[in-house]
Amino acid sequence: MTTWPSVDEALADMMGAVFAGHRDKLAGETIVGRGSDLWHQLAELGLLRLTGAVEHGGSGAGWYEAAELLKAAVRSGIRIPLAEHDLLACWLLEASGLAADGAARTVCVVDAHGVATHVPWASMAERVVVVWRADGRYRVADVAADMLSITPGANSIGEPRDTVAAELSGLRGTPIGPTLVARLRLKSGLVRAIQVCAALDEALRLCIEHVTSRTQFGRPLAKFQAVQHLVFDVAAEAALARAATEAALSAGVRGEWSSPTLEFLVAAARSCAGHATSVVVRNAHQVHGAIGTTREHHLHEFTRAALAWRSEFGSMRYWDDVVTDAAMRASAGGLWSLITE
């Protein structure tokens, strides 16, 4: 199984401790903006612009560290636009030669009418990085949120997923090439795969904890073969999704996001994570029984999140189709190298 290099243990512990300190009062809530204590603390620690270049005020870390930060946030149950701000919006500005200040950001690609739907966190962001196509080329602009028409919406776990409308004739954008837009699409898809995998791993942890601590008919639940099969399937599906996601991330970092197989690998990660979610959610709730459906139990924080995230930045069907198309183009002679490179 392909795995990414381990992140410095002290850094990983620090990330976990930051979120753990806010979990009790913020779990399940949406957090963004410089007025938030958590947002301020993350900025003070250099975690908000973790992957930004040092000369631009970032911490100079990479995607492996960013993935660890995303997983720590998921484990805490705290909703925060770390990926949208650092890995997508601010990265795109930096890659386009534009400066990014400390304002909370998200990013969207609008259509010919200047509209984008299901934009993450737009209604809570201070600025929105807008991408559009005009005169045969793409442009990008860093726009104050109050200069846009933003209609609030939400996904099934309450995270903002808004409709953004921009008056394109009034924007003076910086030209960018299609390569950056393509990378934005793949990075966005990979972000959600990382988050889904973290949620699935937490569901697995809760399953193991439950079956080893609870007894039925005088025996631990873990001793019942039917329960074992349910948990084994959860573990197998979570591991498959994680392996596919780690392979895509490693290829992206190793190839500086330009590998010819990267689209296939990201699509495979999203496909595996999406289909794994169906099995993990079903089995995890069967394992927990009625207690797993209560608001007080943490299981729903992860199962509902995985279900919501697996259809964002491309639906399951969309990514399944990308995998199929890539396999068909490779044909029998090139399929092995496609899945092993």
Side-chain angles (χ1 to χ4, degrees), residues 1-4 71 193 197-198 200-201 204 234-248 269 272-273 276:
M1 180 177 70
T2 303
T3 58
W4 57 63
K71 292 189 290 183
C197 287
L200 299 185
D201 283 341
L204 171 61
V234 169
E237 292 291 337
L240 175 61
R242 191 186 323 115
T245 300
E246 289 175 352
C272 289

Side-chain angles (χ1 to χ4, degrees), residues 308-319:
W309 292 333
R310 71 173 178 173
S311 60
E312 295 183 346
F313 292 134
S315 65
M316 286 175 58
R317 180 172 181 175
Y318 169 81
W319 291 110

Side-chain angles (χ1 to χ4, degrees), residues 29 36 129 141 163 210 256 283 320:
E29 296 185 12
S36 159
V129 178
T163 297
H210 183 75
E256 297 183 347
N283 286 19
D320 285 349

